[in-house]
Amino acid sequence: MRELSYAEAIREALRQEMQRDERVFIIGEDVGVYGGAFGVTLGLVEEFGEERVIDTPISELGIAGAITGAALTGMRPVGEIMFMDFITLASEQLVNQAAKIRFMFGGKAKVPFVLRTPAGSGTGAAAQHSQSLENWFVHIPGLKVVMPSTPYDVKGLLLASIRDDNPIIFIEHKLLYKVKGAVPEEPYTIPLGTAEVKREGRDLTIVATSIMVKRSLEAAEQLAHEDIEVEVVDPRTLKPLDEETIIRSVMKTGRVLIVHEACKTGGYGGELAAIIAGSEAFDYLDAPIVRLAGRDIPIPYNRDLEYHAVPQVENIVEAARQLARGEV
Amino acid sequence: MLNSRQKRELLRQMYTIRAFEEKAEQLYTLGKIHGTMHLSIGMEASAVGAIAALRPDDLILSTHRGHGHCIAKGADLKLMMAEFMGKETGYCRGRGGSMHIADVEGGNLGANGVVGGGIPIAVGVGLSLKMQKRDQIILCFFGDGAANLGPFHEALNMAAIWKLPVVYVCENNQYAMSFSVKKAFAIERISDRAAAYGMPGVTVDGNDLMAVYQAVSQAVKRARAGEGPTLIENVTYRWRGHSKSDANRYRTREEIEAWKQKCPIKRFRTQLIEEGVLTEEEADQIEQEAYATIDAAVAFAEASPEPTLETIEEGVYV
């Protein structure tokens, strides 16, 4: 099958959906001729014009308000926040307005937008351009949170998200933009709330999100040489969450390692651990549930320090090995 | 210009707002209301005069002090009162309450519990109307307090650079909760800020219904013609406290009394009688009818069912 990078897959989804549905438009900082800070929207302004690929002033709250108001009155906007860190500036509109409008209005309105934003460290951009803040939004009823890990998933999930009638925080990872993978040319959707078993295994389950799926698959590959067979499950959407697939996998393997880049304390891993511990998988657990996550520190600038701030392949290998060998 | 029938209708709306809010206050005192409320008594000309300049299919965004906007936009008083009382039959099925009443079908895109919360949404609505080539405009109310928030700056700039069909109406009622505009602004007129965004800014006597109507009409005309937004400042005064927790420690009784002498309803009523639009008796009748419709709305709301517990999680997602 044809291969596309993660960034190209996003761009193709945007292009196909804008061709299909004239209510869809893109709005954000430097999304036009510049193509977005990571080049994701490159070329779209040439195809769809400045009326549908709208460059904004540096006004994150304004962007969030613009997509909220436009979605409330019949459009299906796709906003972009250049770095997830800057979503702090937009959060009033996302948290107090977009997420709550439908409920507060008794179910008589809807706010169908997608807000794309790149998260994650590894680019040397330090503490204010590297955060993974997904769990803040998971915590807000009314929002959905999507976190794709592959080029195939990002296309299908983005198309599904744009067609969804709810406000969606769509979290991309900067280090995944150049990663290539098979992506069908025709439009397709992946239903929100469906996890995927990315690799089957018998000895333990790794539940990982975003770039940690890729790192976990690499770790699983290494561990296979030690005769440790790891199952890797990617929730793909944090909210809604496909609990069943995760629970089924843990019941099969009896051991679970949760891996995410965001800081450990208050991170999504705690939620996953609680769900697993509270489910029928509890009786099948042969070891404590283990979380491997970002250190509870701001992302440092120095290359080595940055590298060690979040889980890397070797950390996953180590943690999984210990868990599989009953050393936890 | 407004004809006699329209002017009588506007007087009726002002009396209806006053009657609704007096009743709201009474119900609160009787312990029938759960939560808080923000009354716009004394500010009726701002809501009614501004919305009178709109077409029925135009849209508004309102504020936490939004009962007047809602009524002027043509809300069904029964559904509104039911929402105020938290009933299933209310506009928002009792989920929103006073601070979140919306009538999306009727063009009221909602009151807002966050000061300044509607200002950026208006950008999106304006953008949406423009992109869909719809001939409507969005009028966004906010208070003097909201004009000092960051969203005001981001949104007014965006509305201006894209020439969106937005009319921003700042209801300057002199206080952001307890903080006087005299302390909160180093400028005389909030509308002076419009110049910074390249849009017209107009300050009017917000207790003079016709002045508000004329200023907003100009702004609406401009917005509909694709010439962009306008910032209008209606200088007015809220007679009641910010909310029910307000003990009025930050202002004097004399000041409140002085503003009560400038009652926008009395002023418009006198004007209409002088113009020969109606007689004293007819004005009295309009007033009495307004209070009667509110009583009917209360009766409807009181007889309405509470939301059932089985529905508690409905409406979070589509």
Side-chain angles (χ1 to χ4, degrees), chain A residues 23 25-28 54 56 59-81 87 90 93-94 97-98 101 110-116 143 166-170, chain B residues 120-128 131 158 162:
Chain A
R23 298 170 300 175
F25 69 96
I26 294 169
I27 182 165
I54 303 171
T56 70
S59 300
E60 283 81 9
L61 185 77
I63 294 167
I67 60 177
T68 301
L72 184 59
T73 51
M75 300 297 282
R76 305 190 80 87
V78 180
E80 180 177 313
I81 297 290
I87 210 165
Q93 286 288 309
L94 304 175
Q97 310 295 336
I101 281 175
K110 60 182 183 181
V111 188
F113 71 62
V114 176
L115 186 61
R116 295 180 38 247
L143 298 177
N166 298 286
I168 291 173
I169 309 298
F170 194 89
Chain B
I121 298 176
V123 169
V125 176
L127 190 61
S128 175
M131 290 180 85
M158 288 167 95
W162 295 330

Side-chain angles (χ1 to χ4, degrees), chain A residues 187-242:
Chain A
Y188 58 94
T189 58
I190 296 170
L192 305 185
T194 55
E196 189 178 50
V197 177
K198 294 288 188 190
R199 178 191 174 102
E200 297 211 18
R202 59 164 196 268
D203 296 321
L204 89 156
T205 298
I206 293 180
V207 184
T209 57
S210 191
I211 192 153
M212 294 302 157
V213 175
K214 181 171 176 286
R215 290 184 189 161
S216 296
L217 288 169
E218 287 173 35
E221 200 61 38
Q222 292 184 25
L223 289 163
H225 299 299
E226 303 173 24
D227 201 30
I228 296 171
E229 289 299 334
V230 177
E231 180 145 306
V232 178
V233 182
D234 176 4
R236 300 198 288 197
T237 60
L238 307 192
K239 199 166 182 184
L241 176 68
D242 175 2

Side-chain angles (χ1 to χ4, degrees), chain B residues 18 42 205 207 237 239 253-268 270:
Chain B
R18 181 70 58 94
D205 178 346
N207 282 12
Y237 194 82
W239 294 5
R253 199 167 297 156
E254 291 71 28
E255 181 185 289
I256 299 171
E257 277 311 312
W259 275 93
K260 283 187 177 174
Q261 298 310 309
K262 302 186 223 175
C263 174
I265 304 182
K266 268 193 199 139
R267 182 168 172 177
F268 190 57
T270 305

Side-chain angles (χ1 to χ4, degrees), chain B residues 191-217:
Chain B
S191 68
D192 286 349
R193 290 191 176 169
Y197 305 105
M199 68 173 79
V202 189
T203 294
V204 296
D205 178 346
N207 282 12
D208 179 349
L209 187 140
M210 290 310 294
V212 172
Y213 170 76
Q214 278 155 11
V216 177
S217 294

